[in-house]
Amino acid sequence: MIDSKDKFIVKFRGVRGSHPKPERNFMEYGGNSACVEVNVNNHLIILDAGTGIINCGNELLQEHIAKAHKESINATILLSHLHNDHIMGLPFFKPLHQKDSNINIVGFSAYEEGLDAVISQLVFEKSFPLGLNEINAKLSFYDINDSYALILDENDNTPDMIKIEKEEDALPQDEEVVISCLKSSSHPKDGVMIYKIAYKDKSLVYATDTEGYIGADQKLALFARNTNLLIHDAQYTTEEYLNTCAPKQGYGHSTFDMALDTYKQSKAENLAFFHFDPNYNDEFLHEIEKHYTNSCKNCIVPKEGMEIVLR
Ligand SMILES: [Zn+2]
Ligand SMILES: [Zn+2]
């Protein structure tokens, strides 16, 4: 694991939405589906388990072997929701199959069964050779809703779940890393969890699979107020969203312009567009990048592998 004592490092592992796109002409921005790796004060937090998580796991395992298995692999995986493009990499995340790994899985279940039972069915029992109960790692599940936050203390990889009574409860103290969330119902059918990771005076907000509103998503803008990095769904161009033959309204995704609106309202420091349509090739995304970065100097069209250090 990266030494991130006192640091906040963000790495894009998969920026593609809907499904992976392993094709020539798409490789510069990358073909893997949603996954962002965050190393913060020696905690590894992974946002979503799209296919981008697979390389992340492979690298963790290589390091683990190079260190002769002396340090266990500890990770906290935050799932925005359970659509395929956000969970399909999970069974191939190799640390799951190591006895000395401790993996926390955080998310919400919109069903009667808990998160563990739903993931067991969706990701393992019916679509993978192993059942969840045959996984070697020590797994802990956290069914979360936006009344709660998770606190990761220094040198302790087991998060404490606390009820948020007032806004200050979600502010990190001393060396704590705090994960808080906001449930959005703008993504069909069961909604999506938006996460904030905060450490000292730095934070990032991960808002994928969310659709914008007229005048920007006010709840999200408030939740992301003054954050250092807002990672926001930007699946479509406005033209495609409004296309009269095949409109994309109600699909639960935003346009680049909607992401920009929410970013401006939130007064976030930087904006990373995310969850690109699998039909947008490198040439097209180059054009998008040119257009948006010309008018907004803190806007990023991230490529797979790109790393940002929050300072
Ligand atoms: Zn998605
Ligand atoms: Zn989705």
Side-chain angles (χ1 to χ4, degrees), residues 59-280:
E59 287 169 29
L60 287 167
L61 187 63
Q62 273 168 14
E63 259 174 58
H64 183 64
I65 293 166
K67 287 181 183 164
H69 298 252
K70 280 189 189 121
E71 289 171 21
S72 58
I73 302 176
N74 303 307
T76 298
I77 300 173
L78 309 180
L79 298 174
S80 62
H81 63 316
L82 302 179
H83 284 168
N84 225 352
D85 50 329
H86 299 259
I87 54 171
M88 59 170 65
L90 190 59
F92 305 101
F93 180 60
K94 286 190 178 148
L96 275 189
H97 305 290
Q98 293 294 306
K99 274 203 172 65
D100 48 0
S101 299
N102 300 297
I103 314 288
N104 306 311
I105 300 182
V106 181
F108 72 97
S109 160
Y111 308 98
E112 266 175 31
E113 306 103 314
L115 182 68
D116 52 346
V118 180
I119 287 188
S120 171
Q121 287 297 312
L122 268 182
V123 185
F124 295 96
E125 304 298 338
K126 301 229 164 63
S127 58
F128 194 70
L130 298 174
L132 192 61
N133 55 2
E134 294 168 281
I135 295 302
N136 285 330
K138 180 178 171 285
L139 297 178
S140 306
F141 285 87
Y142 295 79
D143 260 288
I144 202 166
N145 65 54
D146 47 17
S147 305
Y148 289 87
L150 295 172
I151 314 273
L152 283 159
D153 282 326
E154 202 183 16
N155 308 320
D156 182 3
N157 292 294
T158 308
D160 288 324
M161 198 147 130
I162 59 148
K163 191 156 173 58
I164 304 175
E165 309 281 357
K166 48 190 183 320
E167 213 177 302
E168 298 84 75
D169 295 344
L171 293 177
Q173 307 291 320
D174 307 318
E175 295 299 317
E176 286 173 357
V177 173
V178 176
I179 298 161
S180 52
C181 54
L182 172 74
K183 178 83 190 291
S184 164
S185 54
S186 73
H187 194 67
K189 292 177 177 170
D190 302 319
V192 69
M193 201 60 93
I194 292 165
Y195 290 101
K196 185 192 286 175
I197 303 171
Y199 169 61
K200 293 193 171 162
D201 62 345
K202 299 276 171 285
S203 70
L204 78 76
V205 169
Y206 176 76
T208 188
D209 296 62
T210 180
E211 185 163 347
Y213 300 106
I214 294 173
D217 183 336
Q218 294 298 315
K219 275 192 190 163
L220 173 54
L222 191 64
F223 183 70
R225 191 137 201 94
N226 297 326
T227 192
N228 300 88
L229 176 64
L230 171 62
I231 301 170
H232 196 295
D233 190 290
Q235 176 132 353
Y236 307 119
T237 60
T238 300
E239 197 183 14
E240 183 154 6
Y241 183 83
L242 296 174
N243 184 305
T244 45
C245 298
K248 301 294 193 292
Q249 279 178 346
Y251 280 27
H253 294 290
S254 292
T255 63
F256 289 86
D257 291 330
M258 286 171 182
L260 193 60
D261 277 352
T262 304
Y263 160 70
K264 284 179 183 162
Q265 297 239 358
S266 71
K267 300 199 165 31
E269 196 179 323
N270 299 286
L271 168 66
F273 297 109
F274 191 69
H275 201 277
F276 305 128
D277 192 277
N279 295 314
Y280 293 175

